Amino acid sequence: MILCCGEALIDMLPRETIAGEAAFAPYAGGAVFNTAIALGRLGAPVGFFSGLSTDLFGVQLAETLAASGVETDLCARSDRPTTLAFVRLTNGQASYAFYDENTAGRLLATADLPALPDRVSTLFFGGISLVNEPAAATFEALMAREAAGRVTMLDPNIRPGFIADATVYRARIGRMIALADILKLSDEDLHWLEGPGEIPTLARGLLARGPKLVLVTEGAAGARAITATQDRFCAATPVQVADTVGAGDTFNAGVLAALHEAGALSGSALASLSPETLDAALSLGTRAAAVTVSRPGANPPWADEL
């Protein structure tokens, strides 16, 4: 099973009532949450771990996960509130007001970490869950605890506007990169972390710090997979874009689902990936992401849609 570890929250999206009044509608979301949903829809065995509230929004999150085949039995449940992100659109650009103090996800502590069953082969980390304490330190501790015995994947999904202390954040991401078997970054993330330079050169610098596989998404161009011996590229599937919400999250799920199907989610297998396995992972990741960007919101495809 692939266990996705990170944030689940409610996006409060602006809507209008039938009376013409401004309102907000609650939608389940969060980068790691979206990856878990996409994995479940693609047919991979998947679970989700986070601090999850027992309030009405927490119930909505749990029901949304279950509807896509995602297990939630390892979640740390509490009566603390769910994180809310109110979205404001100005000329099509989104800005956010986060309500995250004392929430079930934000206050996740190391005492809440579960013992993982043997069927968990892979752990996925990322998103804004790696920004704020104490949850950020808790997820890092889980990764450090499990990295020696299970495959780990990291997608920091960097949002500079959410980072209050870039020095602390960079240090945490650096430590987690060293623990990761698979590292995924957007081209923007890569340059934020490593500065200017050619993508393959920067990616190989990151390989030297620990990962066996570095994945870089390049927007509408496509995505790249780089190992110690290979540099594979897959062009993006052309689609009419509705929005890009959840594109990277879905790409992550496609890659993990393909690697799972190929029996490649082990340390030894990742160290000797064939060109065919890398190409299949990039293909599923980019094709699944193309479906997501073709429709509004983070709505990943089911396997039969591909």
Side-chain angles (χ1 to χ4, degrees):
M1 183 174 76
I2 301 164
L3 185 64
C4 295
C5 310
E7 78 272 11
L9 52 85
I10 296 293
D11 286 318
M12 301 296 286
L13 301 183
R15 295 292 185 264
E16 188 175 283
T17 70
I18 56 174
E21 300 170 315
F24 288 93
Y27 287 80
V32 178
F33 177 94
N34 292 338
T35 294
I37 293 289
L39 274 164
R41 292 184 181 185
L42 291 174
V46 58
F48 181 73
F49 171 69
S50 188
L52 205 59
S53 178
T54 55
D55 67 11
L56 65 94
F57 293 124
V59 171
Q60 179 182 345
L61 290 167
E63 290 178 344
T64 303
L65 289 162
S68 290
V70 182
E71 297 182 23
T72 59
D73 55 304
L74 293 174
C75 284
R77 305 303 294 264
S78 74
D79 60 3
R80 302 184 185 108
T82 297
T83 298
L84 303 180
F86 283 80
V87 182
R88 180 179 181 183
L89 296 175
T90 305
N91 297 323
Q93 297 297 311
S95 58
Y96 298 85
F98 272 84
Y99 292 81
D100 192 34
E101 291 297 323
N102 299 315
T103 60
R106 174 77 173 268
L107 293 186
L108 186 73
T110 53
D112 298 317
L113 294 177
L116 300 185
D118 291 342
R119 60 198 178 92
V120 176
S121 67
T122 305
L123 291 89
F124 172 83
F125 297 89
I128 61 172
S129 58
L130 303 180
V131 175
N132 293 318
E133 302 292 357
T138 300
F139 286 117
E140 182 186 357
L142 177 60
M143 189 180 193
R145 191 188 80 182
E146 301 294 336
R150 308 178 203 259
V151 169
T152 57
M153 178 174 174
L154 172 67
D155 174 12
N157 195 16
I158 299 166
R159 296 291 181 264
F162 296 157
I163 300 169
D165 190 328
T167 301
V168 170
Y169 177 77
R170 283 179 179 275
R172 169 169 291 115
I173 296 303
R175 294 189 297 269
M176 296 182 77
I177 286 172
L179 293 169
D181 295 294
I182 305 170
L183 172 64
K184 180 264 180 173
L185 300 163
S186 69
D187 50 359
E188 292 180 348
D189 292 343
L190 179 63
H191 292 305
W192 191 88
L193 282 173
E194 299 297 300
E198 295 295 322
I199 287 175
T201 302
L202 296 177
R204 292 195 185 283
L206 291 169
L207 279 175
R209 293 162 59 183
K212 299 177 179 69
L213 170 62
V214 174
L215 302 156
V216 183
T217 54
E218 301 178 33
R224 190 178 303 273
I226 297 174
T227 69
T229 59
Q230 299 182 72
D231 182 350
R232 310 295 295 180
F233 182 80
C234 181
T237 303
V239 292
Q240 184 69 37
V241 176
D243 63 49
T244 60
V245 177
D249 310 326
T250 305
F251 173 83
N252 293 334
V255 167
L256 284 170
L259 293 175
H260 167 76
E261 183 66 23
L265 286 179
S266 69
S268 58
L270 287 171
S272 57
L273 292 168
S274 68
E276 294 77 15
T277 299
L278 287 172
D279 290 347
L282 289 173
S283 175
L284 184 55
T286 54
R287 288 186 291 119
V291 175
T292 297
V293 302
S294 72
R295 49 202 192 191
N299 185 8
W302 296 83
D304 59 10
E305 294 182 82
L306 301 175

